[in-house]
Amino acid sequence: MLSKKTDKSKDSGRLADGPDTPVQLASDGMYFGILRTDKPLRIDGEFTGVAFCDNKVYLGKNSKFSGDLICRDAVIEGVVDGNVMCSNKLWLHQNGVIEGNARVTLFENQEGAQILNGVFIDPKLKQEDIKDIFEKRCANIDFKKIQADVFAVK
């Protein structure tokens, strides 16, 4: 039987590092703080804080995001306890929940998706606008309070 010979030295087991390689927060992790990236972002775990992504954000079905999500595009299957701002499009999947407001340019949702406050469609919203909002939001973050909440013994 013949088989194709492969060069194992090229396969290091790592994800390729390129402009479309997402920053990934694993499903078994808990993260807090300020996250800023130009690469796509995938969150499958718990995140508390503010995230700014100049690209697409994907929140998996088991994700729990507490805080403000500011990005170009977002695909939400998990839960956001906070606000979402997209300079382009927000896709809210069947089990996706936003326990806050969404401000977007384009919006699409599946049956069963929930937004507990409101969706504001703003066709004039630009990426530069949300960058300014991110900078102002980060100036008011109380990391001591976040740390106390996240690591409190209950």
Side-chain angles (χ1 to χ4, degrees):
M1 176 185 245
L2 298 175
S3 63
K4 183 178 177 183
K5 184 177 179 181
T6 60
D7 182 359
K8 298 208 184 247
S9 65
K10 290 182 182 178
D11 183 14
S12 66
R14 291 181 52 225
L15 290 172
D17 190 20
D20 293 331
T21 303
V23 173
Q24 297 183 347
L25 303 183
S27 60
D28 57 352
M30 183 187 315
Y31 311 89
F32 75 94
I34 297 173
L35 191 150
R36 182 176 186 157
T37 183
D38 293 335
K39 292 187 172 194
L41 173 63
R42 180 181 177 97
I43 299 174
D44 288 308
E46 293 183 36
F47 179 86
T48 300
V50 178
F52 176 83
C53 180
D54 240 341
N55 211 309
K56 184 181 252 183
V57 175
Y58 176 80
L59 298 180
K61 65 182 179 179
N62 296 318
S63 64
K64 173 71 172 160
F65 187 101
S66 299
D68 291 332
L69 175 61
I70 304 167
C71 58
R72 187 186 72 205
D73 295 295
V75 177
I76 299 175
E77 291 185 348
V79 177
V80 176
D81 182 8
N83 301 304
V84 177
M85 182 176 293
C86 300
S87 63
N88 193 32
K89 189 169 184 176
L90 168 62
W91 289 270
L92 192 57
H93 283 244
Q94 181 178 10
N95 296 318
V97 177
I98 298 175
E99 298 173 352
N101 292 311
R103 183 175 169 202
V104 300
T105 303
L106 300 167
F107 177 72
E108 183 177 318
N109 68 297
Q110 293 180 340
E111 185 176 337
Q114 299 176 45
I115 295 185
L116 302 183
N117 287 337
V119 177
F120 303 94
I121 306 297
D122 185 352
K124 296 179 183 175
L125 188 61
K126 297 187 178 8
Q127 193 68 9
E128 298 79 35
D129 298 334
I130 68 171
K131 283 182 184 179
D132 290 340
I133 291 167
F134 170 75
E135 297 297 333
K136 289 175 185 171
R137 176 66 179 92
C138 290
N140 298 320
I141 292 177
D142 182 354
F143 283 107
K144 296 285 185 196
K145 181 180 180 331
I146 292 171
Q147 186 178 19
D149 291 344
V150 170
F151 293 106
V153 177
K154 296 179 182 180

